[in-house]
Protein backbone atom coordinates (compact mmCIF):
# COMPACT_ATOMS: atom_id res chain seq x y z
CA UNK A 1 0.00 0.00 0.00
CA UNK A 2 1.11 3.53 -0.72
CA UNK A 3 2.78 5.08 2.31
CA UNK A 4 2.55 8.87 2.42
CA UNK A 5 5.48 10.83 3.81
CA UNK A 6 4.49 13.44 6.36
CA UNK A 7 6.10 16.85 6.04
CA UNK A 8 6.94 18.97 9.06
CA UNK A 9 5.63 22.58 8.86
CA UNK A 10 9.08 23.84 7.79
CA UNK A 11 9.69 20.74 5.71
CA UNK A 12 12.78 19.62 7.64
CA UNK A 13 14.46 23.04 7.60
CA UNK A 14 18.12 22.77 8.62
CA UNK A 15 19.08 24.99 11.57
CA UNK A 16 19.83 28.53 10.39
CA UNK A 17 22.97 29.96 11.99
CA UNK A 18 23.72 33.68 11.95
CA UNK A 19 26.55 34.87 14.18
CA UNK A 20 25.95 33.34 17.59
CA UNK A 21 22.24 32.83 16.90
CA UNK A 22 20.59 29.61 15.77
CA UNK A 23 17.01 29.09 14.61
CA UNK A 24 15.89 25.47 14.44
CA UNK A 25 12.64 23.70 13.79
CA UNK A 26 11.26 21.52 16.56
CA UNK A 27 9.19 18.68 15.22
CA UNK A 28 6.96 17.43 17.96
CA UNK A 29 4.91 14.29 18.24
CA UNK A 30 1.37 14.81 19.46
CA UNK A 31 -0.16 18.10 20.48
CA UNK A 32 -3.50 18.52 22.17
CA UNK A 33 -5.34 21.45 23.64
CA UNK A 34 -6.98 20.69 26.96
CA UNK A 35 -9.89 22.84 28.12
CA UNK A 36 -11.18 21.62 31.49
CA UNK A 37 -14.97 21.37 31.77
CA UNK A 38 -16.69 23.85 34.07
CA UNK A 39 -15.48 23.50 37.68
CA UNK A 40 -13.27 20.54 36.70
CA UNK A 41 -9.85 22.20 36.86
CA UNK A 42 -8.81 20.31 40.00
CA UNK A 43 -10.17 17.02 38.66
CA UNK A 44 -8.19 17.43 35.43
CA UNK A 45 -5.04 18.15 37.44
CA UNK A 46 -5.56 14.92 39.41
CA UNK A 47 -6.20 12.93 36.24
CA UNK A 48 -3.03 14.29 34.60
CA UNK A 49 -1.05 13.54 37.74
CA UNK A 50 -2.18 9.92 37.63
CA UNK A 51 -1.52 9.55 33.89
CA UNK A 52 1.62 11.62 33.29
CA UNK A 53 2.88 12.94 36.67
CA UNK A 54 1.87 16.41 35.51
CA UNK A 55 -0.76 18.91 36.58
CA UNK A 56 -2.32 22.01 35.07
CA UNK A 57 0.30 24.78 35.33
CA UNK A 58 -0.48 28.24 36.67
CA UNK A 59 -1.15 31.23 34.39
CA UNK A 60 1.87 31.85 32.18
CA UNK A 61 3.68 28.66 33.25
CA UNK A 62 4.63 25.27 31.81
CA UNK A 63 5.62 21.94 33.32
CA UNK A 64 7.71 19.08 31.98
CA UNK A 65 7.77 15.43 33.08
CA UNK A 66 9.61 12.79 31.06
CA UNK A 67 8.56 13.18 27.40
CA UNK A 68 5.50 15.28 28.16
CA UNK A 69 5.12 19.04 28.37
CA UNK A 70 2.05 20.97 29.38
CA UNK A 71 1.75 24.72 29.03
CA UNK A 72 -0.82 27.39 29.82
CA UNK A 73 -1.87 29.03 26.57
CA UNK A 74 -4.75 31.27 27.58
CA UNK A 75 -7.76 31.51 29.83
CA UNK A 76 -8.85 27.97 30.71
CA UNK A 77 -6.73 26.50 27.94
CA UNK A 78 -3.62 24.31 28.04
CA UNK A 79 -1.42 22.75 25.38
CA UNK A 80 -0.12 19.24 25.92
CA UNK A 81 2.84 17.91 23.92
CA UNK A 82 3.93 14.30 23.98
CA UNK A 83 1.69 11.31 24.59
CA UNK A 84 -1.87 11.01 23.41
CA UNK A 85 -4.35 12.47 25.87
CA UNK A 86 -7.88 11.09 26.12
CA UNK A 87 -10.67 10.39 28.57
CA UNK A 88 -10.14 13.22 31.05
CA UNK A 89 -12.68 15.78 32.31
CA UNK A 90 -11.86 18.26 29.59
CA UNK A 91 -12.53 19.12 25.97
CA UNK A 92 -9.55 17.81 24.02
CA UNK A 93 -8.64 18.90 20.50
CA UNK A 94 -5.90 17.27 18.47
CA UNK A 95 -3.56 20.05 17.31
CA UNK A 96 -0.78 17.84 15.94
CA UNK A 97 0.48 19.29 12.64
CA UNK A 98 -1.37 22.57 13.29
CA UNK A 99 1.55 24.52 14.76
CA UNK A 100 5.02 25.47 13.64
CA UNK A 101 7.50 25.28 16.50
CA UNK A 102 11.00 26.75 16.36
CA UNK A 103 13.66 27.50 18.91
CA UNK A 104 15.64 30.71 18.75
CA UNK A 105 18.85 30.07 20.68
CA UNK A 106 21.94 32.10 21.51
CA UNK A 107 23.12 34.77 23.92
CA UNK A 108 21.68 37.50 21.67
CA UNK A 109 18.24 35.88 21.35
CA UNK A 110 16.64 38.49 23.63
CA UNK A 111 17.91 41.24 21.29
CA UNK A 112 16.01 39.57 18.45
CA UNK A 113 12.86 39.28 20.57
CA UNK A 114 13.11 42.96 21.55
CA UNK A 115 12.56 43.90 17.93
CA UNK A 116 9.66 41.55 17.30
CA UNK A 117 7.66 41.14 20.50
CA UNK A 118 5.96 43.94 22.52
CA UNK A 119 6.53 42.10 25.82
CA UNK A 120 9.71 42.41 27.90
CA UNK A 121 10.79 38.79 27.40
CA UNK A 122 13.92 39.39 29.49
CA UNK A 123 11.76 39.21 32.60
CA UNK A 124 10.70 35.64 31.72
CA UNK A 125 12.19 32.68 33.55
CA UNK A 126 12.85 29.27 32.02
CA UNK A 127 9.48 27.56 31.54
CA UNK A 128 7.44 30.78 31.50
CA UNK A 129 4.91 31.06 28.69
CA UNK A 130 3.32 34.15 27.17
CA UNK A 131 0.89 34.67 24.35
CA UNK A 132 1.69 37.80 22.47
CA UNK A 133 2.67 39.05 19.02
CA UNK A 134 5.74 38.42 16.92
CA UNK A 135 5.62 41.12 14.31
CA UNK A 136 1.93 40.88 13.43
CA UNK A 137 1.54 37.17 14.20
CA UNK A 138 -0.20 35.74 17.24
CA UNK A 139 2.53 33.70 18.92
CA UNK A 140 3.15 31.49 21.93
CA UNK A 141 6.58 32.20 23.44
CA UNK A 142 8.19 29.86 25.96
CA UNK A 143 11.51 30.63 27.65
CA UNK A 144 13.98 27.79 27.33
CA UNK A 145 17.49 27.24 28.71
CA UNK A 146 19.08 28.42 25.45
CA UNK A 147 16.62 31.06 24.31
CA UNK A 148 12.98 31.06 23.26
CA UNK A 149 10.60 28.52 21.80
CA UNK A 150 8.21 30.19 19.36
CA UNK A 151 4.95 28.71 18.18
CA UNK A 152 2.71 30.05 15.44
CA UNK A 153 -0.08 28.57 13.33
CA UNK A 154 1.33 26.31 10.65
CA UNK A 155 0.23 28.61 7.82
CA UNK A 156 2.55 31.32 9.23
CA UNK A 157 5.71 29.16 8.96
CA UNK A 158 7.45 31.12 6.22
CA UNK A 159 6.54 34.50 7.70
CA UNK A 160 7.91 33.39 11.06
CA UNK A 161 11.27 32.34 9.58
CA UNK A 162 11.39 35.47 7.41
CA UNK A 163 10.77 37.83 10.36
CA UNK A 164 13.13 36.09 12.79
CA UNK A 165 16.00 35.49 10.37
CA UNK A 166 15.80 39.14 9.20
CA UNK A 167 16.33 40.30 12.77
CA UNK A 168 19.05 37.70 13.41
CA UNK A 169 21.02 39.03 10.43
CA UNK A 170 20.60 42.63 11.52
CA UNK A 171 21.66 41.92 15.12
CA UNK A 172 24.67 39.88 13.98
CA UNK A 173 25.73 42.63 11.54
CA UNK A 174 25.49 45.34 14.18
CA UNK A 175 27.49 43.22 16.64
CA UNK A 176 30.15 42.76 13.98
CA UNK A 177 30.33 46.53 13.35
CA UNK A 178 30.82 47.09 17.05
CA UNK A 179 33.58 44.49 17.03
CA UNK A 180 31.64 42.09 19.26
CA UNK B 1 -1.39 53.07 26.22
CA UNK B 2 -0.81 49.92 28.25
CA UNK B 3 -3.43 47.64 29.76
CA UNK B 4 -2.82 45.34 32.71
CA UNK B 5 -4.50 42.05 31.85
CA UNK B 6 -5.45 40.15 35.05
CA UNK B 7 -3.96 36.97 33.54
CA UNK B 8 -1.00 38.18 31.45
CA UNK B 9 0.17 41.34 33.19
CA UNK B 10 0.85 44.72 31.60
CA UNK B 11 0.69 44.61 27.80
CA UNK B 12 0.83 46.96 24.85
CA UNK B 13 -2.50 48.24 23.50
CA UNK B 14 -1.88 46.61 20.12
CA UNK B 15 -2.53 43.19 21.68
CA UNK B 16 -6.13 44.18 22.47
CA UNK B 17 -9.33 44.36 20.45
CA UNK B 18 -11.86 47.03 21.35
CA UNK B 19 -15.55 46.09 21.25
CA UNK B 20 -17.43 49.00 22.82
CA UNK B 21 -19.53 50.09 25.77
CA UNK B 22 -20.24 47.64 28.58
CA UNK B 23 -23.93 47.83 27.56
CA UNK B 24 -23.15 44.72 25.50
CA UNK B 25 -23.12 42.72 28.73
CA UNK B 26 -26.82 43.34 29.36
CA UNK B 27 -28.82 42.09 26.42
CA UNK B 28 -32.55 42.85 26.69
CA UNK B 29 -35.41 40.53 25.77
CA UNK B 30 -35.63 40.39 22.01
CA UNK B 31 -39.37 41.07 22.08
CA UNK B 32 -38.72 44.48 23.63
CA UNK B 33 -37.97 46.40 20.45
CA UNK B 34 -37.27 49.76 22.08
CA UNK B 35 -34.79 48.22 24.48
CA UNK B 36 -33.22 46.23 21.65
CA UNK B 37 -32.85 49.38 19.54
CA UNK B 38 -31.19 51.14 22.45
CA UNK B 39 -28.94 48.14 23.11
CA UNK B 40 -27.75 47.98 19.52
CA UNK B 41 -27.58 51.61 18.46
CA UNK B 42 -27.76 54.18 21.26
CA UNK B 43 -24.45 54.98 22.92
CA UNK B 44 -23.08 57.65 25.16
CA UNK B 45 -19.89 59.28 23.94
CA UNK B 46 -18.38 60.44 27.21
CA UNK B 47 -15.43 62.74 27.58
CA UNK B 48 -14.04 61.34 30.81
CA UNK B 49 -14.94 58.21 32.72
CA UNK B 50 -16.15 55.25 30.66
CA UNK B 51 -16.46 51.48 31.03
CA UNK B 52 -16.04 49.33 27.98
CA UNK B 53 -15.26 45.86 26.72
CA UNK B 54 -11.92 44.83 25.33
CA UNK B 55 -10.53 41.46 24.39
CA UNK B 56 -6.94 40.38 24.97
CA UNK B 57 -7.00 39.12 21.41
CA UNK B 58 -3.30 38.48 20.84
CA UNK B 59 -2.81 37.23 24.40
CA UNK B 60 -4.97 35.00 26.59
CA UNK B 61 -8.10 35.98 24.64
CA UNK B 62 -10.05 36.83 27.80
CA UNK B 63 -12.79 39.45 27.61
CA UNK B 64 -12.08 42.38 29.86
CA UNK B 65 -14.21 45.12 31.39
CA UNK B 66 -12.08 48.24 31.56
CA UNK B 67 -12.79 51.44 33.44
CA UNK B 68 -10.84 54.32 31.94
CA UNK B 69 -10.78 58.04 31.25
CA UNK B 70 -11.17 58.92 27.57
CA UNK B 71 -9.71 62.39 28.13
CA UNK B 72 -6.53 61.43 29.97
CA UNK B 73 -6.14 57.76 28.89
CA UNK B 74 -5.85 56.77 32.55
CA UNK B 75 -6.95 53.21 33.26
CA UNK B 76 -8.56 52.64 36.65
CA UNK B 77 -9.77 49.06 36.64
CA UNK B 78 -9.42 45.90 34.55
CA UNK B 79 -11.65 42.92 35.32
CA UNK B 80 -12.31 39.54 33.70
CA UNK B 81 -15.84 39.52 32.29
CA UNK B 82 -15.97 35.82 33.23
CA UNK B 83 -15.76 36.78 36.88
CA UNK B 84 -18.85 38.97 36.66
CA UNK B 85 -21.70 36.62 37.50
CA UNK B 86 -24.45 39.00 36.41
CA UNK B 87 -23.18 39.20 32.81
CA UNK B 88 -25.06 37.28 30.12
ZN1 LIG C 1 -4.37 38.35 28.84
Amino acid sequence: MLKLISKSPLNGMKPIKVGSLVLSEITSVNMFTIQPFKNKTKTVSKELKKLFHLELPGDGKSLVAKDNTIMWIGMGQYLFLGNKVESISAAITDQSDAWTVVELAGIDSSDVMDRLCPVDVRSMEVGDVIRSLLGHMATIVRKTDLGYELMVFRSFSKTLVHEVVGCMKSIAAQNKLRGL
Amino acid sequence: MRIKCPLCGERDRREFYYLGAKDYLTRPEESNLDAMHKYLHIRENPCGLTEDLWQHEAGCRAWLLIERNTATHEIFKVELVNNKKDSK
Side-chain angles (χ1 to χ4, degrees), chain A residues 72 74-75 131, chain B residues 3-9 11 15-16 55-62 64 80:
Chain A
W72 173 94
M75 192 172 61
R131 281 197 87 144
Chain B
I3 296 171
K4 194 173 178 189
C5 170
L7 297 174
C8 304
R11 295 294 180 90
E15 291 189 8
F16 297 85
Q55 190 192 18
H56 195 187
E57 189 188 24
C60 62
R61 283 152 303 148
L64 307 171
L80 290 174

Side-chain angles (χ1 to χ4, degrees), chain A residues 59 72-75 77 118-119 130-133, chain B residues 7-8 11-12 14-15 58-62 82:
Chain A
D59 297 342
W72 173 94
I73 55 161
M75 192 172 61
Q77 198 174 58
V119 176
I130 58 161
R131 281 197 87 144
S132 184
L133 294 167
Chain B
L7 297 174
C8 304
R11 295 294 180 90
D12 194 278
R14 85 190 92 154
E15 291 189 8
C60 62
R61 283 152 303 148
N82 255 24

